[in-house]
Amino acid sequence: MKIALIGYGKMGHEIEKIALQRGHSIVSIVDRDNPEALASEAFLSADVVIEFTTPDTAVQHYTYCFEHGLPIVSGTTGWLARREEVERVRKACDGAFFYASNFSVGVYIFDLMSRHLARLMNAHDTYDVRMEEVHHIHKKDHPSGTALSLAEGILSELERKATIVPFLDSETPAIPADGLGIACSREGEVPGIHRIRYESDIDSISIEHSAKGRQGFAFGAVLAAEYLKGKKGTFGMKDMMGV
Ligand code: NAD
């Protein structure tokens, strides 16, 4: 398969390695300093584009790919406030889009566990819940896209929670009874830790996912590119994982 990359940072490099290992070719690489490559014959010849850039630039790349008939896989986080606009453009162009705030298969399973735990906790209101996420100091957005997706999963299952209250771990915000607090820390080069903790006066129950590196995300993104080839519509991990 011919893959074009937009964004050649930490994720772009990791994706290149895994795509080559899986027998694909990288026909074009676009980064901040060569945006003109988007119009190149090589870029436009790609079967699928994989995009990992920044919250401010991702949506313009989606629009460009939809308008040029290029299926696009993206993992850029921090742009979801524009989700409806993106879906409108995709539909108008009959485009193909695969988005995941976290491409890790392990995180996907963790989310299923978290939703199940939240459902059980509807019958046990002596427990309060909070989340912690820890990432490397270079991460621009907080809370992480993964923390937000996990939190949405909890809100959709746990009737007593209705809002998300993100804060930096140096702050101590007042969290309302229906609020789900997310404490965000930025430390060293941590690839990504998400912890969900239910606490009562008598005990606590925690589940945690800890990524060991970026390979899991990159592998998932390449699998998504393979999945997306030849399809039309908007897809996510649930479609690819089948549960
Ligand atoms: P990074 O800072 O290492 O790389 C981003 C790259 O995008 C840089 O090389 C930068 O020059 C490039 N860029 C910026 N503006 C551009 C533009 N207009 N055109 C082309 N390239 C441009 O960051 P990263 O660690 O590779 O992460 C990128 C994004 O992916 C972030 O939003 C991060 O949160 C997200 N991420 C998602 C997952 C997932 O599984 N979904 C996993 C890891 C990271």
Side-chain angles (χ1 to χ4, degrees):
M1 197 163 73
K2 292 193 281 181
I3 296 177
L5 301 179
I6 309 181
Y8 198 45
K10 294 180 283 296
M11 283 303 297
H13 279 83
E14 205 63 51
I15 288 165
E16 179 184 36
K17 267 190 241 158
I18 290 175
L20 293 174
Q21 279 165 15
R22 291 181 65 81
H24 303 302
S25 56
I26 305 293
V27 292
S28 178
I29 297 177
V30 185
D31 203 81
R32 200 196 304 265
D33 54 5
N34 68 332
E36 69 285 352
L38 287 169
S40 67
E41 211 173 298
F43 183 88
L44 296 169
S45 76
D47 296 310
V48 181
V49 174
I50 304 183
E51 201 269 6
F52 277 74
T53 62
T54 67
D56 299 340
T57 55
V59 173
Q60 76 201 40
H61 298 139
Y62 305 160
T63 302
Y64 183 84
C65 288
F66 298 153
E67 287 174 347
H68 289 81
L70 292 167
I72 176 165
V73 172
S74 177
T76 304
T77 55
W79 62 271
L80 283 181
R82 298 178 67 187
R83 186 168 16 192
E84 282 178 17
E85 173 195 339
V86 168
E87 182 54 17
R88 246 194 331 273
V89 180
R90 188 211 58 79
K91 256 195 178 149
C93 301
D94 196 20
F97 186 43
F98 192 119
Y99 179 72
S101 59
N102 192 311
F103 276 100
S104 149
V105 168
V107 165
Y108 187 80
I109 293 167
F110 183 67
D111 182 39
L112 291 180
M113 283 168 58
S114 164
R115 285 168 189 261
H116 185 64
L117 186 53
R119 271 195 299 280
L120 292 175
M121 286 296 177
N122 277 321
H124 302 283
D125 65 4
T126 51
Y127 287 89
D128 199 8
V129 56
R130 67 173 260 173
M131 192 186 302
E132 291 165 23
E133 62 101 331
V134 187
H135 281 89
H136 52 85
I137 53 172
H138 316 288
K139 187 164 178 59
K140 294 193 174 71
D141 51 327
H142 71 86
S144 69
T146 304
L148 280 177
S149 300
L150 290 167
E152 279 170 18
I154 294 171
L155 257 47
S156 70
E157 302 293 348
L158 188 61
E159 285 153 17
R160 59 185 178 275
K161 294 293 174 185
T163 55
I164 296 170
V165 185
F167 59 96
L168 291 171
D169 67 343
S170 53
E171 304 164 347
T172 41
I175 300 174
D178 70 350
L180 168 58
I182 307 179
C184 310
S185 311
R186 296 291 171 261
E187 293 172 16
E189 298 297 329
V190 177
I193 299 173
H194 294 86
R195 251 179 237 120
I196 297 168
R197 185 177 175 89
Y198 286 82
E199 182 131 19
S200 75
D201 288 341
I202 50 173
D203 61 5
S204 63
I205 301 170
S206 302
I207 56 173
E208 175 180 313
H209 179 274
S210 178
K212 293 187 178 175
R214 294 188 176 82
Q215 301 92 315
F217 307 129
F219 181 68
V222 174
L223 288 185
E226 293 168 3
Y227 174 87
L228 192 62
K229 191 183 169 193
K231 293 192 172 66
K232 299 280 183 197
T234 298
F235 304 92
M237 291 296 280
K238 190 173 169 42
D239 303 298
M240 187 169 80
M241 300 282 292
V243 276

